[in-house]
Short mmCIF file of all heavy atoms in Angstrom, two decimals:
data_model
loop_
_atom_site.label_atom_id
_atom_site.label_comp_id
_atom_site.label_asym_id
_atom_site.label_seq_id
_atom_site.Cartn_x
_atom_site.Cartn_y
_atom_site.Cartn_z
N ASP A 91 -86.52 33.45 0.41
CA ASP A 91 -86.88 33.32 -1.00
C ASP A 91 -85.74 32.75 -1.86
O ASP A 91 -85.90 32.60 -3.08
CB ASP A 91 -87.30 34.69 -1.56
CG ASP A 91 -88.59 35.20 -0.89
OD1 ASP A 91 -89.45 34.36 -0.57
OD2 ASP A 91 -88.71 36.42 -0.68
N ARG A 92 -84.61 32.46 -1.25
CA ARG A 92 -83.48 31.93 -2.01
C ARG A 92 -83.57 30.43 -2.18
O ARG A 92 -84.21 29.73 -1.38
CB ARG A 92 -82.16 32.29 -1.33
CG ARG A 92 -81.86 33.78 -1.30
CD ARG A 92 -80.43 34.01 -0.84
NE ARG A 92 -80.15 35.43 -0.65
CZ ARG A 92 -78.96 35.91 -0.29
NH1 ARG A 92 -77.97 35.07 -0.06
NH2 ARG A 92 -78.78 37.21 -0.13
N LYS A 93 -82.88 29.92 -3.19
CA LYS A 93 -82.75 28.48 -3.39
C LYS A 93 -81.51 27.99 -2.62
O LYS A 93 -80.58 28.78 -2.37
CB LYS A 93 -82.59 28.16 -4.87
CG LYS A 93 -83.79 28.58 -5.73
CD LYS A 93 -84.97 27.68 -5.48
CE LYS A 93 -86.23 28.12 -6.25
NZ LYS A 93 -86.04 28.14 -7.71
N PRO A 94 -81.47 26.72 -2.25
CA PRO A 94 -80.33 26.18 -1.48
C PRO A 94 -78.97 26.44 -2.12
O PRO A 94 -77.98 26.66 -1.42
CB PRO A 94 -80.64 24.69 -1.40
CG PRO A 94 -82.12 24.62 -1.44
CD PRO A 94 -82.54 25.71 -2.40
N LYS A 95 -78.90 26.42 -3.46
CA LYS A 95 -77.60 26.60 -4.12
C LYS A 95 -77.01 27.98 -3.87
O LYS A 95 -75.80 28.18 -4.05
CB LYS A 95 -77.73 26.36 -5.62
CG LYS A 95 -78.59 27.38 -6.36
CD LYS A 95 -78.67 27.06 -7.85
CE LYS A 95 -79.52 28.11 -8.58
NZ LYS A 95 -79.63 27.80 -10.03
N ALA A 96 -77.84 28.95 -3.45
CA ALA A 96 -77.37 30.31 -3.19
C ALA A 96 -76.93 30.50 -1.74
O ALA A 96 -76.60 31.62 -1.33
CB ALA A 96 -78.46 31.32 -3.54
N LEU A 97 -76.92 29.42 -0.96
CA LEU A 97 -76.58 29.50 0.46
C LEU A 97 -75.23 28.83 0.73
O LEU A 97 -74.80 27.94 -0.01
CB LEU A 97 -77.65 28.81 1.30
CG LEU A 97 -79.09 29.29 1.15
CD1 LEU A 97 -80.00 28.45 2.04
CD2 LEU A 97 -79.23 30.77 1.48
N SER A 98 -74.59 29.25 1.81
CA SER A 98 -73.36 28.59 2.27
C SER A 98 -73.73 27.29 2.98
O SER A 98 -74.90 27.02 3.28
CB SER A 98 -72.61 29.50 3.23
OG SER A 98 -73.34 29.65 4.45
N GLY A 99 -72.70 26.47 3.27
CA GLY A 99 -72.94 25.21 3.96
C GLY A 99 -73.59 25.42 5.32
O GLY A 99 -74.51 24.69 5.71
N GLY A 100 -73.13 26.41 6.05
CA GLY A 100 -73.70 26.69 7.36
C GLY A 100 -75.15 27.13 7.28
O GLY A 100 -75.98 26.76 8.12
N GLN A 101 -75.47 27.94 6.26
CA GLN A 101 -76.85 28.39 6.07
C GLN A 101 -77.76 27.23 5.67
O GLN A 101 -78.89 27.13 6.14
CB GLN A 101 -76.89 29.50 5.01
CG GLN A 101 -76.27 30.80 5.49
CD GLN A 101 -75.96 31.76 4.35
OE1 GLN A 101 -75.93 31.38 3.18
NE2 GLN A 101 -75.75 33.03 4.69
N ARG A 102 -77.25 26.34 4.84
CA ARG A 102 -78.04 25.17 4.46
C ARG A 102 -78.34 24.28 5.67
O ARG A 102 -79.44 23.74 5.81
CB ARG A 102 -77.30 24.34 3.40
CG ARG A 102 -77.18 25.03 2.06
CD ARG A 102 -76.41 24.16 1.08
NE ARG A 102 -75.99 24.93 -0.08
CZ ARG A 102 -75.29 24.44 -1.09
NH1 ARG A 102 -74.90 23.17 -1.06
NH2 ARG A 102 -74.95 25.20 -2.11
N GLN A 103 -77.36 24.17 6.55
CA GLN A 103 -77.59 23.37 7.74
C GLN A 103 -78.64 24.00 8.63
O GLN A 103 -79.45 23.31 9.25
CB GLN A 103 -76.27 23.18 8.51
CG GLN A 103 -76.33 22.15 9.61
CD GLN A 103 -76.85 20.81 9.13
OE1 GLN A 103 -78.04 20.53 9.16
NE2 GLN A 103 -75.94 19.97 8.63
N ARG A 104 -78.65 25.33 8.69
CA ARG A 104 -79.68 26.02 9.48
C ARG A 104 -81.07 25.83 8.86
O ARG A 104 -82.06 25.76 9.58
CB ARG A 104 -79.33 27.50 9.63
CG ARG A 104 -78.08 27.75 10.44
CD ARG A 104 -78.12 29.04 11.22
NE ARG A 104 -78.27 30.21 10.39
CZ ARG A 104 -77.26 30.89 9.80
NH1 ARG A 104 -76.02 30.44 9.98
NH2 ARG A 104 -77.48 31.96 9.10
N VAL A 105 -81.12 25.78 7.54
CA VAL A 105 -82.41 25.50 6.88
C VAL A 105 -82.89 24.10 7.26
O VAL A 105 -84.07 23.90 7.57
CB VAL A 105 -82.28 25.61 5.34
CG1 VAL A 105 -83.59 25.19 4.67
CG2 VAL A 105 -81.93 27.05 4.95
N ALA A 106 -81.99 23.13 7.26
CA ALA A 106 -82.35 21.77 7.68
C ALA A 106 -82.84 21.76 9.12
O ALA A 106 -83.78 21.04 9.47
CB ALA A 106 -81.15 20.84 7.50
N MET A 107 -82.19 22.55 9.97
CA MET A 107 -82.65 22.68 11.35
C MET A 107 -84.04 23.31 11.40
O MET A 107 -84.92 22.88 12.16
CB MET A 107 -81.67 23.55 12.14
CG MET A 107 -80.34 22.91 12.46
SD MET A 107 -80.51 21.68 13.76
CE MET A 107 -81.07 22.69 15.11
N GLY A 108 -84.24 24.34 10.57
CA GLY A 108 -85.55 25.01 10.55
C GLY A 108 -86.66 24.08 10.12
O GLY A 108 -87.78 24.13 10.66
N ARG A 109 -86.36 23.21 9.16
CA ARG A 109 -87.36 22.23 8.70
C ARG A 109 -87.78 21.31 9.84
O ARG A 109 -88.94 20.88 9.92
CB ARG A 109 -86.77 21.43 7.55
CG ARG A 109 -87.72 20.44 6.93
CD ARG A 109 -87.07 19.76 5.74
NE ARG A 109 -85.78 19.16 6.10
CZ ARG A 109 -84.89 18.73 5.22
NH1 ARG A 109 -85.13 18.85 3.93
NH2 ARG A 109 -83.76 18.19 5.62
N ALA A 110 -86.84 21.01 10.74
CA ALA A 110 -87.16 20.18 11.90
C ALA A 110 -87.95 20.98 12.94
O ALA A 110 -88.92 20.48 13.53
CB ALA A 110 -85.88 19.63 12.52
N ILE A 111 -87.56 22.24 13.16
CA ILE A 111 -88.17 23.05 14.21
C ILE A 111 -89.64 23.32 13.94
O ILE A 111 -90.49 23.27 14.85
CB ILE A 111 -87.41 24.38 14.36
CG1 ILE A 111 -86.02 24.12 14.97
CG2 ILE A 111 -88.18 25.37 15.24
CD1 ILE A 111 -85.12 25.34 14.94
N VAL A 112 -90.00 23.61 12.67
CA VAL A 112 -91.38 24.00 12.37
C VAL A 112 -92.38 22.89 12.69
O VAL A 112 -93.57 23.16 12.88
CB VAL A 112 -91.53 24.41 10.88
CG1 VAL A 112 -90.67 25.61 10.58
CG2 VAL A 112 -91.21 23.26 9.94
N ARG A 113 -91.92 21.67 12.78
CA ARG A 113 -92.84 20.56 13.03
C ARG A 113 -93.21 20.42 14.50
O ARG A 113 -94.11 19.65 14.85
CB ARG A 113 -92.20 19.25 12.53
CG ARG A 113 -91.99 19.23 11.03
CD ARG A 113 -91.28 17.98 10.58
NE ARG A 113 -92.01 16.78 10.98
CZ ARG A 113 -91.54 15.54 10.87
NH1 ARG A 113 -90.33 15.35 10.37
NH2 ARG A 113 -92.26 14.51 11.24
N ASN A 114 -92.49 21.14 15.38
CA ASN A 114 -92.73 21.02 16.83
C ASN A 114 -92.74 19.56 17.28
O ASN A 114 -93.71 19.09 17.91
CB ASN A 114 -94.06 21.69 17.23
CG ASN A 114 -94.03 23.19 17.04
OD1 ASN A 114 -92.97 23.81 17.12
ND2 ASN A 114 -95.20 23.77 16.78
N PRO A 115 -91.70 18.81 16.97
CA PRO A 115 -91.69 17.37 17.29
C PRO A 115 -91.41 17.12 18.76
O PRO A 115 -91.00 18.03 19.50
CB PRO A 115 -90.53 16.86 16.43
CG PRO A 115 -89.56 18.01 16.43
CD PRO A 115 -90.41 19.25 16.37
N GLN A 116 -91.60 15.87 19.17
CA GLN A 116 -91.27 15.49 20.54
C GLN A 116 -89.76 15.35 20.71
O GLN A 116 -89.26 15.44 21.83
CB GLN A 116 -91.95 14.18 20.91
CG GLN A 116 -93.45 14.27 21.04
CD GLN A 116 -94.02 13.10 21.78
OE1 GLN A 116 -94.00 13.03 23.02
NE2 GLN A 116 -94.55 12.14 21.05
N ALA A 117 -89.04 15.09 19.61
CA ALA A 117 -87.59 14.90 19.71
C ALA A 117 -86.92 15.28 18.39
O ALA A 117 -87.48 15.07 17.31
CB ALA A 117 -87.26 13.46 20.06
N PHE A 118 -85.72 15.83 18.51
CA PHE A 118 -84.84 16.06 17.36
C PHE A 118 -83.82 14.94 17.31
O PHE A 118 -83.21 14.59 18.33
CB PHE A 118 -84.07 17.39 17.49
CG PHE A 118 -84.92 18.62 17.37
CD1 PHE A 118 -84.64 19.72 18.17
CD2 PHE A 118 -85.96 18.70 16.47
CE1 PHE A 118 -85.40 20.87 18.07
CE2 PHE A 118 -86.73 19.85 16.37
CZ PHE A 118 -86.45 20.94 17.16
N LEU A 119 -83.59 14.38 16.13
CA LEU A 119 -82.55 13.38 15.93
C LEU A 119 -81.57 13.95 14.90
O LEU A 119 -81.97 14.31 13.79
CB LEU A 119 -83.13 12.06 15.42
CG LEU A 119 -84.35 11.49 16.18
CD1 LEU A 119 -84.72 10.13 15.63
CD2 LEU A 119 -84.07 11.41 17.67
#
């Protein structure tokens, strides 16, 4: 429920990873 500005750099990067994971893609770039 937090906004990106309330997260550390490492947490923001994990959010970016999560955005990729939820799509169940054939490949991560």
Side-chain angles (χ1 to χ4, degrees):
D91 295 326
R92 295 190 186 182
K93 298 288 176 60
K95 67 180 181 181
L97 304 178
S98 68
Q101 290 164 344
R102 292 179 194 179
Q103 191 53 269
R104 295 212 299 273
V105 175
M107 288 286 298
R109 183 176 53 193
I111 290 170
V112 298
R113 296 176 57 189
N114 293 332
Q116 291 197 80
F118 291 142
L119 311 185

